[in-house]
Amino acid sequence: MVQPQAARPEPQDELADRLRMLQELSGLGVRALARDSGLSSSSLSRYLSGQTVPPWPAVISLCRLVKRDPRPLRPVWERASNPLPAPPRTSRQVHFPPRNDLPRDVPDFTGRASQLAAVLDTVERSRVVAIDGMAGVGKTCLAVHAAHRLAADYPDAQLYLDLHGFTEGRDPLDADPALRSLLTALDVPSERVPREGVEQLAACWRAELARRRAVVVLDNVADAEHVRPLLPGAGPSVVLITSRNRLVELDEVPPVSLDVLTTEESAQLLARASGEPGQSPEAHEPAGTEGRLAREPEAAAEVLRLCGRLPLALRLAGARLRHRPGWTVGILVERMAEGVTEFDTAFAMSVRQLDRATGRFFRLLGLLPGSSFDEHLAAALAEVTPRSARAMLEDLLDAHLVQQPQAGRYRMHDLVHQHARRACEQQDTPAERERALGRLLDYYVHAAAAADAAMPFQARVRAVTAGLPPAELPRFADKTAAFAWYATEYENLIAVFETAVATGADVHACELPRFMRAFFARRCGTTHLNFLFERSLAAAERLGDPLQLAEAHSDLGFARYNAGRMADAAAQYETAESLVAAAGDVWSRAELTMRRAFLGWDEGQVEEPLELFREAGRLYADAGCPSGAAHATAYEAWAMLQLGHHEEAARLAREALAAAPQADPAGPPALTARITLGVAIADEQPEQATEHLREALALAREDGHRHNEAWGLNCLGVALRRMGRYEEALASHEAAFALLEELFEEHWKIHFLNSYAETCRLAGLPDQALALHREALELAPKLGYRHEESLAQAGIARILEAT
């Protein structure tokens, strides 16, 4: 009985159908079509029959021949050619739902009907609106309320960012960190985030908004130039801006100006905030009874006057009345009359009702440099337990002195924050404030270290020496939770780093960026991290501690290396070397030795990097770091592979893999070793080689590291070429370069151009091979990659000799 043939994968069938349609459009036979498109007739026959997936350049050639755009075929080609399922486009699709940072919409939103209509109408027409008005008039409340109304029509993201244009005690948030914070909120992969320049960051932000339906609230903008880089370009997304100033320089942004509430609106809001019968589900009086405001109309009118008909002050006054059922409105007026302004009367009256511990807790919150916080930070700041912090935060919520934009996160209105800060300066001694600020800095360094420990991407980071750990830190179940914490706390982390620098907390300034490296590499890129490490180096120089200074130079050198600044990296490593030797720390010596080996190899050296990899392995072992030792062995294996010593490379890679399960089965040693082993044994054990390379690709994708994924695909192409499977090899190289097209770092191409060119040469595509080698020859000297430069020269000579 004849068994039916197994069906080919559906994408491969679909691609073959589309290619046959191109042949029909050309009106040519197979041989003539092959000749005109520069393909071999046997290969073309296999492409048209669906037996083989063509390389992407072949698809482009066929499309150009019949004057058709090849881009619609790209998704079909990727599904048919990729040896593994296509990776997700962004980690957000894997780990996180669409971002919603909007603060909670107030349940007692009152009045503003015409202004709300104007905001909604304006964003429908122009997509951007600027809401301006005096402090406390309700600008943020209106913007957030409008954003919640718009959320259903803009489901891709609902973002909120406080630009701190009027926050006492801190500078306005600059465009660079603001844009990075917004791009991080959209979970844009770091490879797509430009490394330098506000203009490039703004262009990236506009491009991301253009392909999404997002609503963005930019709160507390200082002036037009403050917000201009954050405005959207093309696309459907909308932005709501708030500012105390009229942004007249933004001609293209229509304004909506707010004044105080009308007398009727003010009375209605005060009634709702105080729980008057029929106004609030939290009312203290039985329904149908006459409330205190109605019984004391003159006193109620005086409350409106003292509050200046400002929504924030009215809510604070109403909250006091609601939680004091024994008070008359007259008593409220007496308490409020002790203040000076509408804000002072409302704030001071509310704060006076707090018990002593909660009052101190509230004042210390004024020291926070960021916009939002959680109970762990508040507990560490006030040196209380998280349980006590939760209880006091509930009291402050009831008094409208803090807000809860989402479960577990709190924030303070700008005016409330200023009041708390001034009260802290007046009532707490300088020593008490200094100790509290120290606890704040301690918390963030230790919390960042805990988050970093949940992300096993590197061998080790030296233990925290800055300050003391708080009684309780957030718990991170896995790297996904750690990433989420970093994304939420990004603005605070940057603000805390600046505070550490400004207050001379140099140990904190040295150590905090080290615990942010893994997050930055995968979400924020290298430019800002270079900037942080520059500041860390200055702090280390002030400290004069040899080990801190040695690690600061080493860290800055590695940041320079990852940014493609090879000469700068070499200079930092040279300085670090003598300092590390003097400090006598074995792990730091191992780390620097490994980094020098990376740099030396890329610069075209051979013997010295090999010896450095071996030395790094010995030092990691002496330091008790098996993961580091395994990684050094894996890179020694990689270097031996590049030199053509396949048996030795395979032996070393297996040695690294044997150590990796004990050290870190999914970390860098396993990835490097599997890639090396897969290429090294491709001739003799093709099935095992393919399996190792697929596992390496899976590790890179699970890590979310697109550079390593491209590296794995490129090396799979090398292995397939060595197996004689040229067409599959070309497809794998092409998939690698398709990933690289999404990266802003052009220097990464240098790692792949020559190997792709060699595959093209052996696949019978000498012209394409020559072009790739020449591209490598042009790029390598600019970057200082002498090894790749020599490979390009040898490849060009080989092709020219053959012709």
Side-chain angles (χ1 to χ4, degrees):
M1 181 176 180
V2 178
Q3 297 293 329
Q5 290 184 337
R8 290 190 301 271
E10 182 178 344
Q12 195 164 329
D13 286 336
E14 182 181 356
L15 181 61
D17 289 341
R18 302 282 287 274
L19 295 178
R20 287 194 294 271
M21 290 176 62
L22 294 177
Q23 182 193 7
E24 291 177 9
L25 286 171
S26 72
L28 300 173
V30 173
R31 289 192 177 184
L33 181 60
R35 182 191 65 243
D36 292 353
S37 59
L39 304 173
S40 70
S41 57
S42 59
S43 295
L44 181 59
S45 295
R46 290 195 297 273
Y47 303 157
L48 296 173
S49 65
Q51 296 175 25
T52 305
V53 176
W56 181 242
V59 178
I60 293 176
S61 297
L62 291 170
C63 289
R64 285 177 176 170
L65 190 65
V66 296
K67 296 181 173 56
R68 290 293 186 273
D69 185 354
R71 285 174 294 184
L73 283 176
R74 182 67 188 234
V76 182
W77 175 84
E78 286 182 346
R79 293 197 303 271
S81 63
N82 202 337
L84 289 178
R89 300 308 295 174
T90 68
S91 59
R92 175 174 61 81
Q93 293 173 309
V94 179
H95 300 304
F96 305 114
R99 186 71 170 256
N100 188 337
D101 290 338
L102 295 179
R104 185 175 67 96
D105 193 9
V106 293
D108 57 3
F109 186 84
T110 302
R112 305 298 194 200
S114 61
Q115 293 90 341
L116 176 61
V119 168
L120 297 176
D121 180 64
T122 300
V123 295
E124 185 175 346
R125 289 184 288 104
S126 68
R127 298 186 302 109
V128 185
V129 63
I131 304 170
D132 60 73
M134 67 181 294
V137 80
K139 301 180 296 295
T140 301
C141 187
L142 175 60
V144 169
H145 184 71
H148 278 284
R149 290 277 297 269
L150 293 164
D153 293 329
Y154 297 88
D156 294 334
Q158 297 90 42
L159 306 184
Y160 171 89
L161 183 64
D162 189 344
L163 294 176
H164 294 287
F166 308 95
T167 301
E168 186 175 315
R170 67 167 293 174
D171 293 330
L173 191 65
D174 289 336
D176 186 291
L179 287 163
R180 293 187 189 280
S181 182
L182 290 166
L183 290 167
T184 299
L186 289 180
D187 204 33
V188 178
S190 64
E191 307 88 69
R192 292 216 303 268
V193 178
R195 296 326 196 200
E196 297 181 4
V198 169
E199 290 184 4
Q200 290 82 354
L201 282 166
C204 181
W205 165 242
R206 291 192 296 269
E208 292 297 330
L209 284 186
R211 62 190 188 88
R212 290 174 166 89
R213 292 188 63 84
V215 56
V216 184
V217 176
L218 300 176
D219 202 10
N220 288 315
V221 169
D223 52 40
E225 295 309 312
H226 191 197
V227 77
R228 197 183 300 279
L230 281 63
L231 298 180
S237 294
V238 299
V239 173
L240 288 73
I241 301 166
T242 77
S243 179
R244 296 184 193 177
N245 299 321
R246 287 289 299 271
L247 306 179
V248 293
E249 293 86 356
L250 296 179
D251 297 332
E252 71 279 20
V253 178
V256 172
S257 297
L258 297 189
D259 200 348
V260 297
L261 296 172
T262 65
T263 301
E264 293 75 18
E265 290 171 340
S266 301
Q268 187 179 14
L269 177 55
L270 180 63
R272 289 179 174 178
S274 60
E276 287 287 274
Q279 298 289 339
S280 169
E282 301 176 13
H284 295 286
E285 295 87 348
T289 63
E290 189 178 53
R292 285 170 287 180
L293 294 173
R295 292 195 301 268
E296 302 176 70
E298 292 183 2
E302 182 63 10
V303 171
L304 301 187
R305 188 190 69 79
L306 289 171
C307 289
R309 290 188 279 135
L310 290 163
L312 176 61
L314 289 164
R315 286 192 175 92
L316 289 166
R320 284 298 95 211
L321 198 59
R322 184 177 74 246
H323 291 285
R324 297 295 184 273
W327 277 16
T328 64
V329 183
I331 293 175
L332 176 64
V333 170
E334 291 175 4
R335 298 297 179 90
M336 292 182 67
E338 298 173 10
V340 179
T341 70
E342 58 269 14
F343 297 119
D344 289 331
T345 57
F347 293 152
M349 175 270 303
S350 295
V351 172
R352 279 197 300 271
Q353 306 311 308
L354 304 175
D355 60 45
R356 182 175 180 180
T358 307
R360 170 184 175 271
F361 182 81
F362 169 73
R363 295 194 305 273
L364 291 177
L365 292 178
L367 299 176
L368 294 175
S371 299
S372 67
F373 56 95
D374 62 15
E375 63 191 40
H376 290 98
L377 172 58
L381 179 69
E383 208 172 13
V384 299
T385 66
R387 181 176 181 179
S388 296
R390 280 195 299 272
M392 288 187 279
L393 285 167
E394 288 298 320
D395 289 342
L396 296 177
L397 277 170
D398 290 340
H400 284 276
L401 290 170
V402 300
Q403 302 163 345
Q404 191 173 30
Q406 58 188 5
R409 298 296 296 182
Y410 303 86
R411 69 185 302 271
M412 301 176 77
H413 188 281
D414 208 28
L415 290 173
V416 179
H417 185 268
Q418 291 176 21
H419 183 86
R421 188 182 186 90
R422 287 196 295 269
C424 187
E425 291 173 350
Q426 294 166 3
Q427 300 180 43
D428 297 292
T429 67
E432 289 172 329
R433 297 198 302 272
E434 184 177 349
R435 286 194 295 270
L437 190 59
R439 292 191 296 270
L440 169 72
L441 299 177
D442 290 352
Y443 170 82
Y444 268 110
V445 175
H446 285 272
D452 187 68
M455 300 189 292
F457 300 132
Q458 50 196 7
R460 180 176 80 91
V461 173
R462 189 158 62 88
V464 184
T465 65
L468 298 172
E472 186 173 323
L473 285 167
R475 293 191 177 97
F476 304 106
D478 51 30
K479 67 182 181 183
T480 301
F483 270 132
W485 181 84
Y486 270 115
T488 301
E489 295 283 357
Y490 172 81
E491 183 187 339
N492 288 347
L493 286 164
I494 301 303
V496 164
F497 177 79
E498 294 293 342
T499 300
V501 172
T503 59
D506 289 329
V507 179
H508 298 77
C510 282
E511 296 188 348
L512 183 58
R514 291 179 194 149
F515 300 113
M516 298 163 65
R517 283 192 316 220
F519 171 74
F520 265 69
R522 287 157 179 80
R523 291 294 182 270
C524 303
T526 61
T527 300
H528 204 181
L529 194 58
N530 268 271
F531 174 73
L532 294 181
F533 277 132
E534 289 170 7
R535 309 281 291 283
S536 288
L537 177 57
E541 289 171 341
R542 289 190 295 270
L543 284 172
D545 180 276
L547 184 55
Q548 289 281 17
L549 190 57
E551 292 196 343
H553 279 290
S554 179
D555 286 338
L556 181 56
F558 197 52
R560 298 287 198 248
Y561 169 79
N562 280 305
R565 297 164 62 176
M566 314 296 272
D568 290 345
Q572 294 297 330
Y573 290 162
E574 184 178 355
T575 304
E577 189 173 3
S578 59
L579 292 166
V580 166
D585 185 83
V586 179
W587 184 86
S588 296
R589 282 182 59 201
E591 192 80 342
L592 178 61
T593 302
M594 191 77 170
R595 291 169 173 179
R596 287 175 54 219
F598 292 150
L599 178 65
W601 181 265
D602 287 337
E603 287 183 331
Q605 304 169 33
V606 175
E607 294 301 327
E608 183 180 4
L610 277 171
E611 183 52 42
L612 288 172
F613 283 132
R614 294 168 187 145
E615 182 184 352
R618 292 190 293 268
L619 290 169
Y620 277 127
D622 292 344
C625 184
S627 178
H631 201 197
T633 302
Y635 258 98
E636 183 187 353
W638 171 255
M640 296 301 291
L641 177 68
Q642 306 313 299
L643 295 173
H645 305 315
H646 292 175
E647 291 185 7
E648 179 66 5
R651 183 189 69 78
L652 289 167
R654 290 190 176 98
E655 182 181 326
L657 279 175
Q662 177 185 353
D664 182 4
L671 176 75
T672 304
R674 289 196 182 282
I675 287 178
T676 302
L677 184 57
V679 177
I681 65 174
D683 291 338
E684 300 175 355
Q685 303 173 61
E687 292 184 4
Q688 290 185 25
T690 304
E691 181 180 351
H692 282 302
L693 287 160
R694 288 186 176 186
E695 289 182 11
L697 272 171
L699 288 174
R701 287 170 178 168
E702 194 274 335
D703 184 1
H705 203 307
R706 305 296 290 278
H707 299 80
N708 283 342
E709 184 181 350
W711 181 31
L713 284 168
N714 189 70
C715 289
L716 177 60
V718 173
L720 291 168
R721 174 228 297 164
R722 295 188 58 208
M723 299 174 197
R725 295 156 61 177
Y726 296 133
E727 290 167 355
E728 294 173 74
L730 288 170
S732 191
H733 285 299
E734 184 62 36
F737 271 81
L739 280 177
L740 289 179
E741 287 175 3
E742 299 181 6
L743 307 181
F744 280 80
E745 297 166 305
E746 284 292 311
H747 67 277
W748 260 84
K749 290 183 178 180
I750 194 61
H751 298 288
F752 309 134
L753 284 166
N754 285 312
S755 54
Y756 187 9
E758 179 64 7
T759 300
C760 289
R761 183 184 73 84
L762 293 174
L765 300 170
D767 291 343
Q768 187 173 341
L770 192 61
L772 290 167
H773 278 313
R774 284 174 173 161
E775 186 177 350
L777 188 60
E778 180 182 357
L779 187 59
K782 297 177 182 177
L783 300 172
Y785 282 76
R786 291 195 292 270
H787 177 65
E788 295 295 339
E789 183 179 358
S790 64
L791 290 177
Q793 290 170 336
I796 291 171
R798 194 162 41 241
I799 294 170
L800 294 178
E801 287 173 5
T803 56

mmCIF file of all heavy atoms in Angstrom, residues 363-383:
data_model
loop_
_atom_site.group_PDB
_atom_site.id
_atom_site.type_symbol
_atom_site.label_atom_id
_atom_site.label_comp_id
_atom_site.label_asym_id
_atom_site.label_seq_id
_atom_site.Cartn_x
_atom_site.Cartn_y
_atom_site.Cartn_z
ATOM 1 N N ARG A 363 5.482 64.077 56.732
ATOM 2 C CA ARG A 363 6.542 65.060 56.484
ATOM 3 C C ARG A 363 7.726 64.410 55.759
ATOM 4 O O ARG A 363 8.297 64.999 54.830
ATOM 5 C CB ARG A 363 7.015 65.681 57.797
ATOM 6 C CG ARG A 363 5.976 66.512 58.514
ATOM 7 C CD ARG A 363 6.608 67.366 59.605
ATOM 8 N NE ARG A 363 7.380 66.586 60.566
ATOM 9 C CZ ARG A 363 6.875 66.012 61.662
ATOM 10 N NH1 ARG A 363 5.570 66.107 61.914
ATOM 11 N NH2 ARG A 363 7.652 65.353 62.495
ATOM 12 N N LEU A 364 8.098 63.196 56.167
ATOM 13 C CA LEU A 364 9.241 62.532 55.550
ATOM 14 C C LEU A 364 8.973 62.182 54.085
ATOM 15 O O LEU A 364 9.904 62.135 53.276
ATOM 16 C CB LEU A 364 9.603 61.265 56.336
ATOM 17 C CG LEU A 364 10.185 61.502 57.732
ATOM 18 C CD1 LEU A 364 10.440 60.172 58.433
ATOM 19 C CD2 LEU A 364 11.477 62.315 57.661
ATOM 20 N N LEU A 365 7.714 61.961 53.737
ATOM 21 C CA LEU A 365 7.394 61.699 52.326
ATOM 22 C C LEU A 365 7.761 62.896 51.451
ATOM 23 O O LEU A 365 7.965 62.751 50.245
ATOM 24 C CB LEU A 365 5.908 61.363 52.159
ATOM 25 C CG LEU A 365 5.441 60.033 52.750
ATOM 26 C CD1 LEU A 365 3.939 59.863 52.549
ATOM 27 C CD2 LEU A 365 6.189 58.859 52.139
ATOM 28 N N GLY A 366 7.855 64.075 52.038
ATOM 29 C CA GLY A 366 8.264 65.249 51.289
ATOM 30 C C GLY A 366 9.703 65.180 50.808
ATOM 31 O O GLY A 366 10.093 65.943 49.916
ATOM 32 N N LEU A 367 10.501 64.265 51.372
ATOM 33 C CA LEU A 367 11.891 64.110 50.941
ATOM 34 C C LEU A 367 12.024 63.261 49.690
ATOM 35 O O LEU A 367 13.108 63.204 49.095
ATOM 36 C CB LEU A 367 12.731 63.474 52.066
ATOM 37 C CG LEU A 367 12.821 64.260 53.379
ATOM 38 C CD1 LEU A 367 13.601 63.460 54.417
ATOM 39 C CD2 LEU A 367 13.488 65.609 53.137
ATOM 40 N N LEU A 368 10.961 62.590 49.282
ATOM 41 C CA LEU A 368 11.040 61.705 48.118
ATOM 42 C C LEU A 368 11.334 62.522 46.858
ATOM 43 O O LEU A 368 10.668 63.522 46.592
ATOM 44 C CB LEU A 368 9.728 60.938 47.930
ATOM 45 C CG LEU A 368 9.367 59.931 49.022
ATOM 46 C CD1 LEU A 368 7.993 59.338 48.764
ATOM 47 C CD2 LEU A 368 10.409 58.825 49.105
ATOM 48 N N PRO A 369 12.312 62.096 46.064
ATOM 49 C CA PRO A 369 12.633 62.845 44.838
ATOM 50 C C PRO A 369 11.787 62.450 43.644
ATOM 51 O O PRO A 369 11.788 63.151 42.638
ATOM 52 C CB PRO A 369 14.106 62.484 44.591
ATOM 53 C CG PRO A 369 14.234 61.103 45.155
ATOM 54 C CD PRO A 369 13.292 61.024 46.320
ATOM 55 N N GLY A 370 11.089 61.327 43.697
ATOM 56 C CA GLY A 370 10.349 60.830 42.535
ATOM 57 C C GLY A 370 8.864 61.123 42.625
ATOM 58 O O GLY A 370 8.374 61.763 43.567
ATOM 59 N N SER A 371 8.135 60.627 41.631
ATOM 60 C CA SER A 371 6.704 60.918 41.532
ATOM 61 C C SER A 371 5.861 59.949 42.335
ATOM 62 O O SER A 371 4.872 60.330 42.949
ATOM 63 C CB SER A 371 6.259 60.839 40.062
ATOM 64 O OG SER A 371 6.935 61.775 39.282
ATOM 65 N N SER A 372 6.212 58.667 42.310
ATOM 66 C CA SER A 372 5.378 57.660 42.947
ATOM 67 C C SER A 372 6.252 56.764 43.809
ATOM 68 O O SER A 372 7.482 56.756 43.688
ATOM 69 C CB SER A 372 4.631 56.835 41.892
ATOM 70 O OG SER A 372 5.531 56.044 41.135
ATOM 71 N N PHE A 373 5.603 56.009 44.684
ATOM 72 C CA PHE A 373 6.353 55.171 45.617
ATOM 73 C C PHE A 373 5.462 54.019 46.060
ATOM 74 O O PHE A 373 4.246 54.017 45.824
ATOM 75 C CB PHE A 373 6.834 55.990 46.818
ATOM 76 C CG PHE A 373 5.732 56.706 47.558
ATOM 77 C CD1 PHE A 373 5.144 56.142 48.681
ATOM 78 C CD2 PHE A 373 5.285 57.952 47.143
ATOM 79 C CE1 PHE A 373 4.138 56.794 49.361
ATOM 80 C CE2 PHE A 373 4.274 58.623 47.822
ATOM 81 C CZ PHE A 373 3.691 58.041 48.939
ATOM 82 N N ASP A 374 6.082 53.026 46.698
ATOM 83 C CA ASP A 374 5.314 51.921 47.243
ATOM 84 C C ASP A 374 5.512 51.860 48.755
ATOM 85 O O ASP A 374 6.265 52.642 49.341
ATOM 86 C CB ASP A 374 5.688 50.591 46.573
ATOM 87 C CG ASP A 374 7.152 50.215 46.783
ATOM 88 O OD1 ASP A 374 7.815 50.794 47.662
ATOM 89 O OD2 ASP A 374 7.635 49.330 46.055
ATOM 90 N N GLU A 375 4.854 50.921 49.390
ATOM 91 C CA GLU A 375 4.900 50.847 50.852
ATOM 92 C C GLU A 375 6.287 50.457 51.358
ATOM 93 O O GLU A 375 6.691 50.858 52.452
ATOM 94 C CB GLU A 375 3.873 49.832 51.348
ATOM 95 C CG GLU A 375 4.136 48.405 50.873
ATOM 96 C CD GLU A 375 2.968 47.483 51.144
ATOM 97 O OE1 GLU A 375 1.814 47.901 50.963
ATOM 98 O OE2 GLU A 375 3.227 46.331 51.524
ATOM 99 N N HIS A 376 7.058 49.685 50.565
ATOM 100 C CA HIS A 376 8.397 49.295 50.997
ATOM 101 C C HIS A 376 9.301 50.524 51.113
ATOM 102 O O HIS A 376 10.057 50.667 52.081
ATOM 103 C CB HIS A 376 8.997 48.289 50.016
ATOM 104 C CG HIS A 376 8.349 46.947 50.048
ATOM 105 N ND1 HIS A 376 7.383 46.567 49.147
ATOM 106 C CD2 HIS A 376 8.517 45.893 50.877
ATOM 107 C CE1 HIS A 376 6.982 45.340 49.418
ATOM 108 N NE2 HIS A 376 7.660 44.904 50.459
ATOM 109 N N LEU A 377 9.233 51.391 50.121
ATOM 110 C CA LEU A 377 10.045 52.606 50.167
ATOM 111 C C LEU A 377 9.600 53.500 51.314
ATOM 112 O O LEU A 377 10.424 54.033 52.068
ATOM 113 C CB LEU A 377 9.946 53.357 48.839
ATOM 114 C CG LEU A 377 10.598 54.744 48.798
ATOM 115 C CD1 LEU A 377 12.080 54.662 49.153
ATOM 116 C CD2 LEU A 377 10.410 55.388 47.441
ATOM 117 N N ALA A 378 8.286 53.676 51.466
ATOM 118 C CA ALA A 378 7.781 54.535 52.543
ATOM 119 C C ALA A 378 8.189 53.991 53.903
ATOM 120 O O ALA A 378 8.570 54.751 54.808
ATOM 121 C CB ALA A 378 6.262 54.645 52.444
ATOM 122 N N ALA A 379 8.149 52.662 54.058
ATOM 123 C CA ALA A 379 8.536 52.049 55.325
ATOM 124 C C ALA A 379 10.016 52.280 55.614
ATOM 125 O O ALA A 379 10.407 52.590 56.749
ATOM 126 C CB ALA A 379 8.230 50.552 55.294
ATOM 127 N N ALA A 380 10.866 52.117 54.581
ATOM 128 C CA ALA A 380 12.293 52.325 54.772
ATOM 129 C C ALA A 380 12.599 53.783 55.098
ATOM 130 O O ALA A 380 13.428 54.079 55.963
ATOM 131 C CB ALA A 380 13.046 51.898 53.516
ATOM 132 N N LEU A 381 11.925 54.694 54.421
ATOM 133 C CA LEU A 381 12.160 56.117 54.638
ATOM 134 C C LEU A 381 11.851 56.514 56.079
ATOM 135 O O LEU A 381 12.603 57.254 56.719
ATOM 136 C CB LEU A 381 11.305 56.925 53.659
ATOM 137 C CG LEU A 381 11.401 58.447 53.744
ATOM 138 C CD1 LEU A 381 12.758 58.921 53.276
ATOM 139 C CD2 LEU A 381 10.295 59.090 52.905
ATOM 140 N N ALA A 382 10.723 56.033 56.601
ATOM 141 C CA ALA A 382 10.287 56.417 57.951
ATOM 142 C C ALA A 382 10.800 55.461 59.022
ATOM 143 O O ALA A 382 10.544 55.687 60.209
ATOM 144 C CB ALA A 382 8.758 56.470 57.996
ATOM 145 N N GLU A 383 11.493 54.401 58.601
ATOM 146 C CA GLU A 383 12.033 53.406 59.531
ATOM 147 C C GLU A 383 10.915 52.774 60.360
ATOM 148 O O GLU A 383 10.958 52.700 61.587
ATOM 149 C CB GLU A 383 13.098 54.035 60.444
ATOM 150 C CG GLU A 383 14.140 53.042 60.930
ATOM 151 C CD GLU A 383 15.302 53.693 61.673
ATOM 152 O OE1 GLU A 383 15.191 54.894 62.027
ATOM 153 O OE2 GLU A 383 16.322 53.013 61.874
#
